[in-house]
């Protein structure tokens, strides 16, 4: 079996373990303070809390979140709420998939530069995040993991 195939299998197993750990670590958790804004469909507008009745209205989707555009995050939350309800495990799985996509794309990016076996190391670091483990425990951060994955995908496409 080739080194590439062995590292792909190892990365796949590591991804499965990471998903299991993320889902287990978030079992029993509920929405955090920042996520309650999404859950309640509220946003701060000119210092006042505003409730939006329509979940997919441009006014709500484009309303600032802590001064930031949160279009993608709001859209994902509202889509999950509309399709499966407010099940927190779904958000943990979305976060885990974003982390796995980032690790897989980083592996491809690194493989082109350092070879198959060495490319496994940075991918495993992203999967298990070490000191940044709060990424596992707070699914609201799927914005970060998905942004990393799409950025890596864009770089790979440009190459």
């Amino acid at each position: 079996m080739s080194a590439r195939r062995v590292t792909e299998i190892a990365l796949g197993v590591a991804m499965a373990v990471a998903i299991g750990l993320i889902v287990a670590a978030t079992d029993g958790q509920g929405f955090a303070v920042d996520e309650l804004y999404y859950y309640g469909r509220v946003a701060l507008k000119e210092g006042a809390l505003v409730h939006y009745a329509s979940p997919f209205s441009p006014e709500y989707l484009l309303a600032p979140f802590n001064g930031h555009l949160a279009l993608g995050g709001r859209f994902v939350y509202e889509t999950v709420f509309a399709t499966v309800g407010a099940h927190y495990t779904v958000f943990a799985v979305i976060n885990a998939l974003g982390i796995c996509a980032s690790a897989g794309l980083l592996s491809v990016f690194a493989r082109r530069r350092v070879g198959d076996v060495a490319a496994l190391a940075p991918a495993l670091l992203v999967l298990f995040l070490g000191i940044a483990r709060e990424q596992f425990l707070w699914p609201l951060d799927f914005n970060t993991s998905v942004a990393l994955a799409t950025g890596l995908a864009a770089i790979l496409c440009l190459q």
Side-chain angles (χ1 to χ4, degrees):
M1 196 176 319
S2 70
R4 175 168 291 177
R5 187 70 181 139
V6 170
T7 58
E8 287 171 348
I9 291 170
L11 185 58
V13 169
M15 286 179 179
V17 169
I19 290 170
L21 288 172
I22 292 167
V23 171
T26 58
D27 186 39
Q29 285 186 347
F31 293 99
V33 173
D34 285 345
E35 292 170 301
L36 292 177
Y37 283 91
Y38 289 159
Y39 185 75
R41 250 183 237 119
V42 295
L44 284 174
K45 186 175 182 181
E46 298 172 5
L49 206 56
V50 178
H51 178 264
Y52 294 87
S54 178
F56 291 103
S57 70
E59 295 82 19
Y60 171 63
L61 292 175
L62 296 171
F65 181 78
N66 290 336
H68 304 285
L69 177 64
L71 174 67
R74 279 201 177 105
F75 187 80
V76 169
Y77 269 79
E78 290 302 330
T79 301
V80 171
F81 290 155
T83 55
V84 296
H87 298 290
Y88 203 64
T89 303
V90 175
F91 296 105
V93 170
I94 291 169
N95 186 39
L97 293 174
I99 292 169
C100 288
S102 297
L105 290 165
L106 180 60
S107 174
V108 172
F109 183 81
R111 181 184 307 135
R112 295 177 180 177
R113 286 152 182 78
V114 297
D116 295 320
V117 177
L120 192 57
L124 292 176
L125 287 173
V126 168
L127 273 180
F128 297 103
L129 293 174
I131 199 162
R133 64 192 170 279
E134 67 275 1
Q135 177 75 20
F136 284 164
L137 303 177
W138 200 22
L140 176 65
D141 279 337
F142 77 82
N143 295 303
T144 306
S145 58
V146 170
L148 177 61
T150 54
L152 286 167
I155 290 170
L156 288 170
C157 286
L158 289 173
Q159 292 179 347

